[in-house]
Structure formats: C-alpha cells, structure tokens
Amino acid sequence: LRQATEARQKLPLHYRDLKETTSQRTVRPLGCFFWGQVWTLAAWCEARQDFRSFRVDRIDAMVVLDERVRDEPGRSLADLMRRLASDGVD
C-alpha cells in the first residue's frame, strides 16, 4: 500500500466492511495511518467520488495497477486534511 501510495498508482480493492459486506472499489491511495490498534488507508474512492478510509485488515485482495493517478483538484491528501479540519476532526 505504501509503495502504491508513493508511486501514485490506482488500486482495485476487495473490501469487507464491519458488517462483513464485501465490495469492490478502485481507489487512489493517499496515505497509510496507524490509529493505535489498526492501520487505515486514506483514499479517494472512484465509486463513491469521495474520500474514504479503509481498514487495512479488512482488505481481502488488491492489485497495484500500472495506471498512475493524475493531480486533480479536490482529490489530494491536502484536500482531505482541509476537509477534516473544516469538519472539526483532529
């Protein structure tokens, strides 16, 4: 995940949420973060057209695509951080 984030490569994921519902998403990885007990992947989700966090331990499968992520306004880690700050999330 870190290598794909640093290389700015898209990731198709097979993901299982807390209710055990599975989904397939293609994401633009923005960063990996550790929250005391779990790692999460912050990403721009192409299916939802919004930022999402994915628990790394709930990713069942992934593939690193050769396709590189282009800079697009509103879809960067800086944009996510600004949104979190404006929502009052520290």
Side-chain angles (χ1 to χ4, degrees):
L1 289 174
R2 283 186 181 158
Q3 289 175 345
T5 300
E6 290 172 9
R8 302 171 51 107
Q9 293 171 285
K10 289 186 180 183
L11 298 170
L13 303 177
H14 289 256
Y15 187 74
R16 185 176 24 90
D17 68 15
L18 291 172
K19 295 178 183 176
E20 300 296 321
T21 304
T22 59
S23 63
Q24 295 181 26
R25 312 275 184 99
T26 298
V27 301
R28 299 170 182 214
L30 301 173
C32 295
F33 301 94
F34 186 67
W35 298 102
Q37 294 185 5
V38 297
W39 280 95
T40 60
L41 172 68
W44 176 265
C45 177
E46 294 193 344
R48 303 279 187 194
Q49 289 294 296
D50 202 359
F51 296 107
R52 290 290 188 266
S53 290
F54 299 91
R55 280 183 45 169
V56 172
D57 62 331
R58 295 190 164 277
I59 298 173
D60 291 329
M62 69 173 197
V63 176
V64 178
L65 299 178
D66 288 334
E67 184 178 353
R68 304 281 180 179
V69 175
R70 295 180 324 228
D71 287 330
E72 292 185 44
R75 297 181 181 187
S76 70
L77 181 58
D79 295 316
L80 171 59
M81 300 309 270
R82 278 191 290 276
R83 180 185 293 178
L84 293 174
S86 71
D87 291 347
V89 177
D90 292 327

